Amino acid sequence: MRTAGLTMNDVWAHRVLRERGVETYRLEGVVAELGVMVESLDLKHRGREENYRPYLHMTGELRSVTPAKVLPFGISQVIYSPGQGEKVDAFYEFDDQQLVVLAGKGYFTSGFTVPEQVTGIEWELPATADVLVLAPSEVQTEGDVPVVFTQIHGIGGLEIDLESSGYDLAGYFADQSKNGVPRAEAVVDARGLKSRSDAIDPLFTEDELALDTETKQVVGAPTPEAAPVADGMNARLRQIEAEIAAEREQYKTERASTEGTTENLYRERVAAPLDRAEEQEVPSASSVPTREAQRDLNERKLQVAQRAADLDFGVDDEQSLGS
């Protein structure tokens, strides 16, 4: 028989316990199965002393209590209307094998989340309870049934696992090792770097290394047409350099003949006197210049050369400023 239930902290439960001459049955530590409407499921972690071991925190509402043995008056289940049942907090612990499964499903990836399909449904969770049954009145009337009060042990912190609940929650998680992971991680997984072994996995496969070698050979080997093209380019560069040199020489000649320019001053005041001085001081075939005369001539040549260099620097500087 199924009957509606009340919680043990209900005010009527205290009145029943104080009432004399009323037939009641009180049972403690009754093994039962709870029907819990799961509202939320969150992935949490233990503290540092437990190496941050993951677990699930489940919250929901109590909808039914099914005792392992039938209660007095043939009561097989106590039910609660939506909004009338107590709030339930349960903590699901993964065993070591389940943790291995979660790691294989991408537990350490950013896309790893709790599955949504496990909420909004009723779960059956193991628990123990204290039960108070109030017998119906001696004068049986239509609709007169026993009243049941329940108190669930540890309803605010039920501890469950695969063995006690029968639920393998690790199997509900989506495999994020293949879907929803960053591209770089997917490439690493494809090359087998995820698994550890004594051997070192190469970063590139043999096919990729062979492809890289072939690419270098293709790029490094010049084609038959490459040599003629290079010769043609070198010839064109030499032609351009010759044209630039001719234009520069023509430019200097024009400036040397233009009155007032640096080149004209150099030609009239430096180069011409130097030429005349050398003509005057050139010894005859029969005469030998003295050491002092040769030294003076060399000093004058150095002075003229230095002056020419200064003027030439001025030309270049003038051109750069003009440009």
PDB file of all heavy atoms in Angstrom, residues 5 10 20 40 58 61 75 88 106 131 138 141-142 150-151 159 174 201 209 218 226 249 301 308:
ATOM      1  N   GLY A   5       3.081  10.867   3.094  1.00  0.00           N
ATOM      2  CA  GLY A   5       3.870  10.952   4.307  1.00  0.00           C
ATOM      3  C   GLY A   5       4.082  12.366   4.777  1.00  0.00           C
ATOM      4  O   GLY A   5       3.896  13.336   4.042  1.00  0.00           O
ATOM      5  N   ASP A  10       7.333  17.636  11.684  1.00  0.00           N
ATOM      6  CA  ASP A  10       5.996  18.213  11.602  1.00  0.00           C
ATOM      7  C   ASP A  10       5.402  18.317  13.005  1.00  0.00           C
ATOM      8  O   ASP A  10       5.634  17.466  13.874  1.00  0.00           O
ATOM      9  CB  ASP A  10       5.109  17.346  10.704  1.00  0.00           C
ATOM     10  CG  ASP A  10       3.799  18.040  10.359  1.00  0.00           C
ATOM     11  OD1 ASP A  10       2.899  18.031  11.211  1.00  0.00           O
ATOM     12  OD2 ASP A  10       3.704  18.586   9.244  1.00  0.00           O
ATOM     13  N   ARG A  20      -1.627   9.862  24.620  1.00  0.00           N
ATOM     14  CA  ARG A  20      -1.734   8.591  25.303  1.00  0.00           C
ATOM     15  C   ARG A  20      -2.923   7.807  24.761  1.00  0.00           C
ATOM     16  O   ARG A  20      -3.946   8.378  24.381  1.00  0.00           O
ATOM     17  CB  ARG A  20      -1.893   8.797  26.809  1.00  0.00           C
ATOM     18  CG  ARG A  20      -0.672   9.412  27.466  1.00  0.00           C
ATOM     19  CD  ARG A  20      -0.888   9.552  28.966  1.00  0.00           C
ATOM     20  NE  ARG A  20       0.282  10.134  29.614  1.00  0.00           N
ATOM     21  CZ  ARG A  20       1.324   9.463  30.044  1.00  0.00           C
ATOM     22  NH1 ARG A  20       1.341   8.136  29.882  1.00  0.00           N
ATOM     23  NH2 ARG A  20       2.339  10.066  30.629  1.00  0.00           N
ATOM     24  N   SER A  40      20.010  19.714  -9.534  1.00  0.00           N
ATOM     25  CA  SER A  40      21.316  20.203  -9.997  1.00  0.00           C
ATOM     26  C   SER A  40      22.392  19.176  -9.682  1.00  0.00           C
ATOM     27  O   SER A  40      22.255  18.376  -8.751  1.00  0.00           O
ATOM     28  CB  SER A  40      21.680  21.547  -9.352  1.00  0.00           C
ATOM     29  OG  SER A  40      21.873  21.397  -7.957  1.00  0.00           O
ATOM     30  N   MET A  58      25.079  16.685  -5.565  1.00  0.00           N
ATOM     31  CA  MET A  58      23.736  16.567  -6.115  1.00  0.00           C
ATOM     32  C   MET A  58      22.726  17.202  -5.163  1.00  0.00           C
ATOM     33  O   MET A  58      22.789  16.991  -3.947  1.00  0.00           O
ATOM     34  CB  MET A  58      23.403  15.085  -6.319  1.00  0.00           C
ATOM     35  CG  MET A  58      22.010  14.812  -6.851  1.00  0.00           C
ATOM     36  SD  MET A  58      21.634  13.044  -6.722  1.00  0.00           S
ATOM     37  CE  MET A  58      23.077  12.345  -7.522  1.00  0.00           C
ATOM     38  N   GLU A  61      14.866  17.125  -4.422  1.00  0.00           N
ATOM     39  CA  GLU A  61      13.730  17.116  -3.495  1.00  0.00           C
ATOM     40  C   GLU A  61      13.258  15.685  -3.283  1.00  0.00           C
ATOM     41  O   GLU A  61      13.142  14.910  -4.237  1.00  0.00           O
ATOM     42  CB  GLU A  61      12.578  17.965  -4.048  1.00  0.00           C
ATOM     43  CG  GLU A  61      11.398  18.055  -3.103  1.00  0.00           C
ATOM     44  CD  GLU A  61      10.233  18.825  -3.714  1.00  0.00           C
ATOM     45  OE1 GLU A  61      10.299  19.155  -4.929  1.00  0.00           O
ATOM     46  OE2 GLU A  61       9.258  19.081  -3.000  1.00  0.00           O
ATOM     47  N   ILE A  75       2.237  -1.022   4.579  1.00  0.00           N
ATOM     48  CA  ILE A  75       2.720   0.160   3.859  1.00  0.00           C
ATOM     49  C   ILE A  75       4.022  -0.193   3.142  1.00  0.00           C
ATOM     50  O   ILE A  75       5.019  -0.540   3.785  1.00  0.00           O
ATOM     51  CB  ILE A  75       2.931   1.331   4.826  1.00  0.00           C
ATOM     52  CG1 ILE A  75       1.610   1.703   5.510  1.00  0.00           C
ATOM     53  CG2 ILE A  75       3.518   2.537   4.092  1.00  0.00           C
ATOM     54  CD1 ILE A  75       1.755   2.742   6.600  1.00  0.00           C
ATOM     55  N   VAL A  88      17.262  17.483  -0.437  1.00  0.00           N
ATOM     56  CA  VAL A  88      18.257  16.428  -0.326  1.00  0.00           C
ATOM     57  C   VAL A  88      19.573  16.929  -0.909  1.00  0.00           C
ATOM     58  O   VAL A  88      19.603  17.524  -2.005  1.00  0.00           O
ATOM     59  CB  VAL A  88      17.812  15.151  -1.056  1.00  0.00           C
ATOM     60  CG1 VAL A  88      18.879  14.068  -0.931  1.00  0.00           C
ATOM     61  CG2 VAL A  88      16.478  14.661  -0.512  1.00  0.00           C
ATOM     62  N   GLY A 106      38.811  13.145 -21.299  1.00  0.00           N
ATOM     63  CA  GLY A 106      39.208  14.558 -21.399  1.00  0.00           C
ATOM     64  C   GLY A 106      38.883  15.366 -20.174  1.00  0.00           C
ATOM     65  O   GLY A 106      38.535  16.546 -20.287  1.00  0.00           O
ATOM     66  N   VAL A 131      11.025   5.883  11.290  1.00  0.00           N
ATOM     67  CA  VAL A 131       9.638   5.934  10.836  1.00  0.00           C
ATOM     68  C   VAL A 131       8.705   5.880  12.046  1.00  0.00           C
ATOM     69  O   VAL A 131       8.903   5.071  12.969  1.00  0.00           O
ATOM     70  CB  VAL A 131       9.318   4.774   9.869  1.00  0.00           C
ATOM     71  CG1 VAL A 131       7.867   4.852   9.404  1.00  0.00           C
ATOM     72  CG2 VAL A 131      10.275   4.795   8.684  1.00  0.00           C
ATOM     73  N   GLU A 138      -9.897   3.016  15.736  1.00  0.00           N
ATOM     74  CA  GLU A 138     -10.521   1.707  15.886  1.00  0.00           C
ATOM     75  C   GLU A 138     -11.825   1.622  15.118  1.00  0.00           C
ATOM     76  O   GLU A 138     -12.200   0.568  14.615  1.00  0.00           O
ATOM     77  CB  GLU A 138     -10.754   1.412  17.366  1.00  0.00           C
ATOM     78  CG  GLU A 138      -9.467   1.301  18.156  1.00  0.00           C
ATOM     79  CD  GLU A 138      -9.736   1.003  19.622  1.00  0.00           C
ATOM     80  OE1 GLU A 138     -10.936   0.955  20.004  1.00  0.00           O
ATOM     81  OE2 GLU A 138      -8.765   0.835  20.386  1.00  0.00           O
ATOM     82  N   THR A 141     -13.560   3.994   9.216  1.00  0.00           N
ATOM     83  CA  THR A 141     -14.414   4.760   8.322  1.00  0.00           C
ATOM     84  C   THR A 141     -13.784   4.765   6.952  1.00  0.00           C
ATOM     85  O   THR A 141     -12.600   4.465   6.780  1.00  0.00           O
ATOM     86  CB  THR A 141     -14.579   6.210   8.820  1.00  0.00           C
ATOM     87  OG1 THR A 141     -13.294   6.820   8.900  1.00  0.00           O
ATOM     88  CG2 THR A 141     -15.247   6.221  10.208  1.00  0.00           C
ATOM     89  N   GLU A 142     -14.582   5.121   5.973  1.00  0.00           N
ATOM     90  CA  GLU A 142     -14.080   5.131   4.597  1.00  0.00           C
ATOM     91  C   GLU A 142     -12.977   6.177   4.461  1.00  0.00           C
ATOM     92  O   GLU A 142     -13.145   7.332   4.860  1.00  0.00           O
ATOM     93  CB  GLU A 142     -15.223   5.426   3.632  1.00  0.00           C
ATOM     94  CG  GLU A 142     -14.808   5.327   2.174  1.00  0.00           C
ATOM     95  CD  GLU A 142     -15.998   5.573   1.253  1.00  0.00           C
ATOM     96  OE1 GLU A 142     -17.124   5.734   1.742  1.00  0.00           O
ATOM     97  OE2 GLU A 142     -15.775   5.617   0.038  1.00  0.00           O
ATOM     98  N   THR A 150       8.355  10.393   8.656  1.00  0.00           N
ATOM     99  CA  THR A 150       9.694   9.868   8.370  1.00  0.00           C
ATOM    100  C   THR A 150      10.758  10.911   8.683  1.00  0.00           C
ATOM    101  O   THR A 150      10.518  12.126   8.626  1.00  0.00           O
ATOM    102  CB  THR A 150       9.825   9.476   6.887  1.00  0.00           C
ATOM    103  OG1 THR A 150       9.600  10.634   6.071  1.00  0.00           O
ATOM    104  CG2 THR A 150       8.825   8.376   6.525  1.00  0.00           C
ATOM    105  N   GLN A 151      11.933  10.413   9.032  1.00  0.00           N
ATOM    106  CA  GLN A 151      13.112  11.248   9.229  1.00  0.00           C
ATOM    107  C   GLN A 151      14.307  10.540   8.599  1.00  0.00           C
ATOM    108  O   GLN A 151      14.721   9.479   9.070  1.00  0.00           O
ATOM    109  CB  GLN A 151      13.368  11.506  10.717  1.00  0.00           C
ATOM    110  CG  GLN A 151      14.565  12.418  10.963  1.00  0.00           C
ATOM    111  CD  GLN A 151      14.771  12.702  12.434  1.00  0.00           C
ATOM    112  OE1 GLN A 151      14.126  12.098  13.296  1.00  0.00           O
ATOM    113  NE2 GLN A 151      15.673  13.626  12.732  1.00  0.00           N
ATOM    114  N   GLU A 159      26.156  10.293   1.444  1.00  0.00           N
ATOM    115  CA  GLU A 159      27.372   9.880   0.745  1.00  0.00           C
ATOM    116  C   GLU A 159      27.073   8.607  -0.038  1.00  0.00           C
ATOM    117  O   GLU A 159      26.697   7.584   0.534  1.00  0.00           O
ATOM    118  CB  GLU A 159      28.496   9.634   1.757  1.00  0.00           C
ATOM    119  CG  GLU A 159      28.931  10.902   2.480  1.00  0.00           C
ATOM    120  CD  GLU A 159      30.106  10.662   3.412  1.00  0.00           C
ATOM    121  OE1 GLU A 159      30.546   9.483   3.488  1.00  0.00           O
ATOM    122  OE2 GLU A 159      30.586  11.626   4.028  1.00  0.00           O
ATOM    123  N   ALA A 174      30.270  13.040 -21.462  1.00  0.00           N
ATOM    124  CA  ALA A 174      30.615  13.003 -22.884  1.00  0.00           C
ATOM    125  C   ALA A 174      32.123  12.904 -23.056  1.00  0.00           C
ATOM    126  O   ALA A 174      32.901  13.387 -22.224  1.00  0.00           O
ATOM    127  CB  ALA A 174      30.087  14.250 -23.594  1.00  0.00           C
ATOM    128  N   ASP A 201      58.159   9.648 -27.756  1.00  0.00           N
ATOM    129  CA  ASP A 201      57.419   9.773 -28.997  1.00  0.00           C
ATOM    130  C   ASP A 201      57.966  10.943 -29.797  1.00  0.00           C
ATOM    131  O   ASP A 201      58.145  12.044 -29.254  1.00  0.00           O
ATOM    132  CB  ASP A 201      55.930  10.010 -28.716  1.00  0.00           C
ATOM    133  CG  ASP A 201      55.293   8.802 -28.053  1.00  0.00           C
ATOM    134  OD1 ASP A 201      55.718   7.685 -28.386  1.00  0.00           O
ATOM    135  OD2 ASP A 201      54.403   8.984 -27.217  1.00  0.00           O
ATOM    136  N   LEU A 209      58.753  13.927 -41.799  1.00  0.00           N
ATOM    137  CA  LEU A 209      60.182  14.169 -41.975  1.00  0.00           C
ATOM    138  C   LEU A 209      60.616  13.930 -43.406  1.00  0.00           C
ATOM    139  O   LEU A 209      61.422  14.674 -43.977  1.00  0.00           O
ATOM    140  CB  LEU A 209      60.975  13.267 -41.024  1.00  0.00           C
ATOM    141  CG  LEU A 209      60.838  13.588 -39.526  1.00  0.00           C
ATOM    142  CD1 LEU A 209      61.567  12.544 -38.706  1.00  0.00           C
ATOM    143  CD2 LEU A 209      61.366  14.967 -39.226  1.00  0.00           C
ATOM    144  N   VAL A 218      63.852  19.936 -53.357  1.00  0.00           N
ATOM    145  CA  VAL A 218      63.222  20.615 -54.493  1.00  0.00           C
ATOM    146  C   VAL A 218      63.575  22.086 -54.506  1.00  0.00           C
ATOM    147  O   VAL A 218      63.884  22.678 -55.534  1.00  0.00           O
ATOM    148  CB  VAL A 218      61.685  20.415 -54.431  1.00  0.00           C
ATOM    149  CG1 VAL A 218      60.999  21.287 -55.472  1.00  0.00           C
ATOM    150  CG2 VAL A 218      61.345  18.948 -54.658  1.00  0.00           C
ATOM    151  N   ALA A 226      67.398  28.459 -64.332  1.00  0.00           N
ATOM    152  CA  ALA A 226      67.763  29.434 -63.309  1.00  0.00           C
ATOM    153  C   ALA A 226      69.074  30.144 -63.654  1.00  0.00           C
ATOM    154  O   ALA A 226      69.222  31.330 -63.430  1.00  0.00           O
ATOM    155  CB  ALA A 226      67.886  28.739 -61.946  1.00  0.00           C
ATOM    156  N   GLU A 249      79.628  61.259 -64.366  1.00  0.00           N
ATOM    157  CA  GLU A 249      80.791  61.917 -64.955  1.00  0.00           C
ATOM    158  C   GLU A 249      80.377  63.102 -65.814  1.00  0.00           C
ATOM    159  O   GLU A 249      81.008  64.171 -65.783  1.00  0.00           O
ATOM    160  CB  GLU A 249      81.576  60.902 -65.794  1.00  0.00           C
ATOM    161  CG  GLU A 249      82.920  61.405 -66.268  1.00  0.00           C
ATOM    162  CD  GLU A 249      83.885  61.672 -65.135  1.00  0.00           C
ATOM    163  OE1 GLU A 249      83.745  61.003 -64.087  1.00  0.00           O
ATOM    164  OE2 GLU A 249      84.761  62.553 -65.297  1.00  0.00           O
ATOM    165  N   LYS A 301     101.775  68.553 -53.474  1.00  0.00           N
ATOM    166  CA  LYS A 301     100.800  67.608 -54.046  1.00  0.00           C
ATOM    167  C   LYS A 301      99.811  67.129 -52.982  1.00  0.00           C
ATOM    168  O   LYS A 301      98.615  66.993 -53.229  1.00  0.00           O
ATOM    169  CB  LYS A 301     101.523  66.420 -54.658  1.00  0.00           C
ATOM    170  CG  LYS A 301     102.246  66.731 -55.953  1.00  0.00           C
ATOM    171  CD  LYS A 301     102.870  65.472 -56.534  1.00  0.00           C
ATOM    172  CE  LYS A 301     103.554  65.784 -57.866  1.00  0.00           C
ATOM    173  NZ  LYS A 301     104.170  64.569 -58.461  1.00  0.00           N
ATOM    174  N   ALA A 308      91.408  69.051 -52.793  1.00  0.00           N
ATOM    175  CA  ALA A 308      90.479  68.432 -53.743  1.00  0.00           C
ATOM    176  C   ALA A 308      89.492  67.532 -53.024  1.00  0.00           C
ATOM    177  O   ALA A 308      88.305  67.492 -53.354  1.00  0.00           O
ATOM    178  CB  ALA A 308      91.260  67.627 -54.794  1.00  0.00           C
TER     179      ALA A 308
END
